[in-house]
Amino acid sequence: MTKMTKLVAIDGPSGSGKSTVAQLLAQSLGYMYIDTGAMYRAIGFSVDQQGVAFEEGEALKKCLASMKFEYGKDSDHLVIVNGENLTEKIREHHVSKLASDISKLPIVRDFLFATQRSLGEQNFSVMEGRDIGTVVFPDSFMKVFLTATLEERANRRLLQLKRNGTTHSYEEILEDVKQRDYNDTNREIAPLKQADDATLFDTTGVPQEEVIERLKTLVNERASSLGM
Ligand code: DC
């Protein structure tokens, strides 16, 4: 058997509950939690802030080459770019679109691929994103594809944004989630896709604690069957 990475890959569309589930799962397993969406958000935010065009070319190449990107210092300093702590700013609604747009560019994906690989190789981890089980860690020992209906995902996203004081309507969020699904699924490089060997989990109507308990059981069973 090929060597497997000590990593649980959790992929799925926006609002599938990945972030909270992955975070709590990592906590309860004593694994490191790695949020790759936060990385795309930070790059989208920073490149936009610097006024650099979202297209492959010298300007973006230079911008990335000079970028000091730090991930995972602690939860209040999750992403720091060029010394600026972006942890809260990247959760603003408009940053979702910046992240989705910048994530289409191979130069950006390559840049983050290296960071993600080196982080994930260090300890037992739960890494969440869109392409973790298919591209970043196809060798992860456990792969999960989390999903839920479009309406449920829009509702969850709205609740999350309301906690941060958003005034956006359900209809706006639904459209936004639909658009992001389309962008993330149809881009040429590393599109959102369930890996052939991933376990599909539809979380529509399933309480969060139950999702975590079920995943924890799956991970533990898999780890012990592999003698990890
Ligand atoms: O998970 P999120 O909503 O924070 O992700 C923001 C955007 O980043 C998402 O629209 C697509 C992109 N992304 C990606 O392309 N690949 C990943 N592994 C994670 C996120």
Short mmCIF file of all heavy atoms in Angstrom, two decimals, residues 34 39 42 50 54 61 76 86 93 97 101 104 115 127 138 148-149 159 176 200 203 208 215:
data_model
loop_
_atom_site.label_atom_id
_atom_site.label_comp_id
_atom_site.label_asym_id
_atom_site.label_seq_id
_atom_site.Cartn_x
_atom_site.Cartn_y
_atom_site.Cartn_z
N ILE A 34 -6.53 22.90 9.97
CA ILE A 34 -6.00 23.79 8.93
C ILE A 34 -7.12 24.20 7.97
O ILE A 34 -7.73 23.35 7.31
CB ILE A 34 -4.85 23.11 8.15
CG1 ILE A 34 -3.77 22.61 9.14
CG2 ILE A 34 -4.23 24.07 7.15
CD1 ILE A 34 -2.76 21.66 8.53
N MET A 39 -6.87 30.82 3.75
CA MET A 39 -5.66 31.21 3.02
C MET A 39 -6.04 31.93 1.71
O MET A 39 -5.47 32.96 1.37
CB MET A 39 -4.81 29.98 2.70
CG MET A 39 -4.36 29.23 3.93
SD MET A 39 -3.37 27.78 3.45
CE MET A 39 -3.21 26.96 5.03
N ALA A 42 -7.31 35.34 2.51
CA ALA A 42 -6.25 36.29 2.86
C ALA A 42 -5.51 36.79 1.62
O ALA A 42 -5.22 37.97 1.48
CB ALA A 42 -5.28 35.64 3.84
N GLN A 50 -3.74 45.71 -2.40
CA GLN A 50 -2.55 46.29 -3.04
C GLN A 50 -2.84 46.79 -4.45
O GLN A 50 -1.96 47.26 -5.15
CB GLN A 50 -1.43 45.24 -3.09
CG GLN A 50 -0.91 44.87 -1.70
CD GLN A 50 0.16 43.79 -1.77
OE1 GLN A 50 1.14 43.93 -2.47
NE2 GLN A 50 -0.04 42.70 -1.05
N PHE A 54 -6.34 40.70 -10.68
CA PHE A 54 -6.51 39.27 -10.47
C PHE A 54 -6.32 38.54 -11.79
O PHE A 54 -7.25 38.01 -12.38
CB PHE A 54 -7.93 38.98 -9.93
CG PHE A 54 -8.12 39.23 -8.46
CD1 PHE A 54 -7.33 40.15 -7.78
CD2 PHE A 54 -9.09 38.55 -7.74
CE1 PHE A 54 -7.51 40.39 -6.42
CE2 PHE A 54 -9.27 38.77 -6.38
CZ PHE A 54 -8.48 39.70 -5.73
N LYS A 61 2.72 37.92 -9.98
CA LYS A 61 3.88 37.09 -9.66
C LYS A 61 4.78 37.82 -8.66
O LYS A 61 5.20 37.26 -7.65
CB LYS A 61 4.66 36.82 -10.97
CG LYS A 61 5.59 35.65 -10.91
CD LYS A 61 6.05 35.34 -12.32
CE LYS A 61 7.36 34.60 -12.28
NZ LYS A 61 7.94 34.46 -13.61
N ASP A 76 -6.44 33.75 17.02
CA ASP A 76 -6.65 35.19 16.82
C ASP A 76 -5.70 35.76 15.77
O ASP A 76 -5.83 36.91 15.35
CB ASP A 76 -6.41 35.95 18.14
CG ASP A 76 -7.48 35.63 19.16
OD1 ASP A 76 -8.61 35.31 18.75
OD2 ASP A 76 -7.17 35.66 20.37
N LEU A 86 -5.02 39.51 9.32
CA LEU A 86 -6.25 39.59 8.52
C LEU A 86 -7.35 38.66 9.04
O LEU A 86 -8.38 38.51 8.39
CB LEU A 86 -5.94 39.24 7.05
CG LEU A 86 -4.93 40.12 6.33
CD1 LEU A 86 -4.76 39.66 4.88
CD2 LEU A 86 -5.35 41.58 6.37
N HIS A 93 -18.23 39.74 4.23
CA HIS A 93 -18.95 39.12 3.11
C HIS A 93 -18.25 39.30 1.76
O HIS A 93 -18.12 38.35 0.99
CB HIS A 93 -20.37 39.70 3.06
CG HIS A 93 -21.21 39.11 2.00
ND1 HIS A 93 -21.45 37.75 1.92
CD2 HIS A 93 -21.84 39.66 0.93
CE1 HIS A 93 -22.20 37.51 0.86
NE2 HIS A 93 -22.45 38.64 0.26
N LYS A 97 -16.09 36.59 -2.35
CA LYS A 97 -15.97 36.68 -3.81
C LYS A 97 -14.51 36.86 -4.22
O LYS A 97 -14.05 36.25 -5.20
CB LYS A 97 -16.86 37.82 -4.33
CG LYS A 97 -16.65 38.18 -5.76
CD LYS A 97 -17.94 38.24 -6.55
CE LYS A 97 -17.76 38.69 -7.99
NZ LYS A 97 -16.73 38.02 -8.74
N ASP A 101 -12.60 34.32 -6.67
CA ASP A 101 -11.98 34.80 -7.92
C ASP A 101 -10.48 34.51 -7.97
O ASP A 101 -9.97 34.04 -8.98
CB ASP A 101 -12.21 36.31 -8.08
CG ASP A 101 -13.66 36.63 -8.43
OD1 ASP A 101 -14.40 35.69 -8.79
OD2 ASP A 101 -14.05 37.81 -8.32
N LYS A 104 -9.02 30.85 -8.71
CA LYS A 104 -9.02 30.25 -10.07
C LYS A 104 -7.63 30.28 -10.68
O LYS A 104 -7.36 29.61 -11.67
CB LYS A 104 -9.91 31.09 -11.00
CG LYS A 104 -11.37 30.95 -10.74
CD LYS A 104 -12.14 31.74 -11.80
CE LYS A 104 -13.51 32.07 -11.30
NZ LYS A 104 -13.91 33.45 -11.48
N THR A 115 2.54 25.74 0.85
CA THR A 115 2.26 26.03 2.26
C THR A 115 1.40 24.93 2.87
O THR A 115 1.66 24.44 3.98
CB THR A 115 1.46 27.36 2.35
OG1 THR A 115 2.18 28.36 1.65
CG2 THR A 115 1.22 27.79 3.78
N MET A 127 -7.65 18.96 7.56
CA MET A 127 -7.51 20.09 6.64
C MET A 127 -8.78 20.20 5.82
O MET A 127 -9.24 19.22 5.24
CB MET A 127 -6.30 19.86 5.72
CG MET A 127 -6.05 21.04 4.80
SD MET A 127 -4.57 20.82 3.76
CE MET A 127 -3.26 21.27 4.86
N PRO A 138 -3.95 13.82 -1.89
CA PRO A 138 -4.68 12.64 -2.37
C PRO A 138 -4.29 11.41 -1.56
O PRO A 138 -4.97 10.39 -1.63
CB PRO A 138 -4.25 12.54 -3.84
CG PRO A 138 -3.08 13.43 -4.00
CD PRO A 138 -3.06 14.40 -2.89
N ALA A 148 -24.76 19.68 1.80
CA ALA A 148 -26.11 19.91 2.31
C ALA A 148 -26.86 20.60 1.18
O ALA A 148 -26.22 21.08 0.22
CB ALA A 148 -26.07 20.81 3.54
N THR A 149 -28.18 20.69 1.28
CA THR A 149 -28.93 21.33 0.19
C THR A 149 -28.52 22.80 0.08
O THR A 149 -28.06 23.41 1.07
CB THR A 149 -30.45 21.28 0.45
OG1 THR A 149 -30.70 21.97 1.68
CG2 THR A 149 -30.97 19.87 0.52
N LEU A 159 -26.92 32.89 8.90
CA LEU A 159 -26.82 32.89 10.37
C LEU A 159 -25.42 33.32 10.81
O LEU A 159 -25.25 34.14 11.71
CB LEU A 159 -27.08 31.50 10.92
CG LEU A 159 -28.52 31.14 11.21
CD1 LEU A 159 -28.63 29.68 11.65
CD2 LEU A 159 -29.07 32.06 12.31
N ASP A 176 -25.48 34.29 -3.89
CA ASP A 176 -24.04 34.29 -3.71
C ASP A 176 -23.50 32.86 -3.58
O ASP A 176 -22.50 32.49 -4.20
CB ASP A 176 -23.73 35.11 -2.46
CG ASP A 176 -22.26 35.12 -2.13
OD1 ASP A 176 -21.52 35.72 -2.90
OD2 ASP A 176 -21.88 34.52 -1.11
N LEU A 200 -19.08 10.33 1.35
CA LEU A 200 -20.03 11.44 1.16
C LEU A 200 -20.92 11.56 2.39
O LEU A 200 -21.47 10.56 2.86
CB LEU A 200 -20.88 11.18 -0.08
CG LEU A 200 -21.99 12.20 -0.35
CD1 LEU A 200 -21.41 13.57 -0.68
CD2 LEU A 200 -22.89 11.73 -1.50
N THR A 203 -25.24 16.61 5.28
CA THR A 203 -25.54 17.02 6.66
C THR A 203 -26.88 17.76 6.78
O THR A 203 -27.17 18.31 7.84
CB THR A 203 -24.42 17.94 7.20
OG1 THR A 203 -24.40 19.15 6.41
CG2 THR A 203 -23.06 17.28 7.14
N GLN A 208 -25.25 19.35 14.40
CA GLN A 208 -23.79 19.44 14.30
C GLN A 208 -23.04 18.41 15.18
O GLN A 208 -22.08 17.79 14.74
CB GLN A 208 -23.38 20.84 14.69
CG GLN A 208 -22.01 21.20 14.23
CD GLN A 208 -21.74 22.65 14.55
OE1 GLN A 208 -21.59 23.01 15.71
NE2 GLN A 208 -21.73 23.47 13.54
N LEU A 215 -18.31 11.48 12.38
CA LEU A 215 -17.01 11.60 11.71
C LEU A 215 -15.88 11.08 12.60
O LEU A 215 -14.96 10.41 12.13
CB LEU A 215 -16.74 13.06 11.32
CG LEU A 215 -17.56 13.60 10.15
CD1 LEU A 215 -17.18 15.04 9.87
CD2 LEU A 215 -17.32 12.75 8.89
#
